[in-house]
Amino acid sequence: MNVKNLRLFFGLPLPHRQAEAIDRWRRELGLDGRPVARRNLHLTLAFLDSHPLERLAELQCLGEGIRGNAFEMKLDRLETGRHGLVCLGTGQAPEALLQLAGELQRLLRGAGYALDERAFWPHLTLARDCRNPPLPASPPDFRWRAERFVLFHSTSDAQGTLYRPLFHWPLVM
Ligand code: 2AM
């Protein structure tokens, strides 16, 4: 049997206007690594890795069962991570974001998904493999109202990587 595995993660999508503004801002920074394509800018809530297509129905139910609150997302600092990762982070993660990520992780672990053991780190990756993380002239200040979360399917081909939204669910106003 040919079982197709999908690389999956739950995340917060970025409104088009903010994606454009962030893209413009990072170009002015002059990052030297591999930038994440503008269309793929997002904030990961839970990374699942690869799973068979057959598990999608279960993940759809799991997302359906979450009653999260909408919140204001504010990205106000530049941070760095492993492998030359440069990202936008937040000085104060909204309680509703932490609850959403926590609830997803609890339900996913309960359903048998092996998740990263590290504590949830809300960040929006701008680029990877940067050797000289730049210092912005002024701190970043990007905000939007997070009103939904998404299950993304990550695909890669000769055209590059694409994070396709498979399902999305509202966050209550
Ligand atoms: P990153 O941006 O910090 O690399 C799609 O690959 C998304 O899932 C990215 O946001 C990526 O986070 C995250 N991701 C990839 N591999 C991961 C892993 N092993 N653990 C946690 N998150 C991961």
Side-chain angles (χ1 to χ4, degrees):
M1 192 175 64
N2 180 18
V3 179
K4 187 163 188 260
N5 278 325
L6 309 181
R7 191 172 159 88
L8 301 166
F9 65 97
F10 284 93
L12 288 183
L14 199 57
H16 189 66
R17 225 158 62 94
Q18 276 70 20
E20 276 192 338
I22 289 174
D23 189 36
R24 218 174 305 123
W25 183 82
R26 77 173 161 178
R27 263 187 276 131
E28 284 160 15
L29 272 183
L31 294 172
D32 66 352
R34 289 186 300 117
V36 172
R38 185 179 68 184
R39 64 184 180 185
N40 286 339
L41 292 173
H42 72 281
L43 199 141
T44 300
L45 294 166
F47 178 74
L48 276 63
D49 215 338
S50 292
H51 295 280
L53 191 61
E54 287 75 10
R55 294 204 81 171
L56 277 188
E58 170 193 62
L59 290 169
Q60 190 179 10
C61 278
L62 191 143
E64 198 88 43
I66 290 186
R67 295 281 168 266
N69 289 320
F71 53 90
E72 191 189 39
M73 192 63 225
K74 186 165 132 189
L75 297 173
D76 53 7
R77 55 192 207 186
L78 197 65
E79 298 181 352
T80 55
R82 298 187 306 178
H83 311 299
L85 185 143
V86 173
C87 60
L88 289 170
T90 181
Q92 193 165 24
E95 195 49 41
L97 167 65
L98 300 179
Q99 277 176 7
L100 175 61
E103 182 69 351
L104 270 169
Q105 296 191 6
R106 190 181 68 76
L107 292 174
L108 287 164
R109 287 209 171 91
Y113 291 88
L115 304 179
D116 198 322
E117 292 297 333
R118 288 171 292 174
F120 174 56
W121 171 38
H123 67 283
L124 183 148
T125 300
L126 296 170
R128 299 190 173 85
D129 301 327
C130 297
R131 267 170 304 191
N132 299 300
L135 267 180
S138 55
D141 184 12
F142 299 104
R143 299 155 193 253
W144 73 95
R145 191 159 172 80
E147 293 177 336
R148 65 200 175 102
F149 68 102
V150 169
L151 178 67
F152 287 100
H153 173 206
S154 167
T155 61
S156 288
D157 62 18
Q159 265 74 56
T161 298
L162 178 61
Y163 302 150
R164 291 173 194 276
L166 294 180
F167 307 113
H168 58 91
W169 302 272
L171 295 167
V172 184
M173 303 294 148

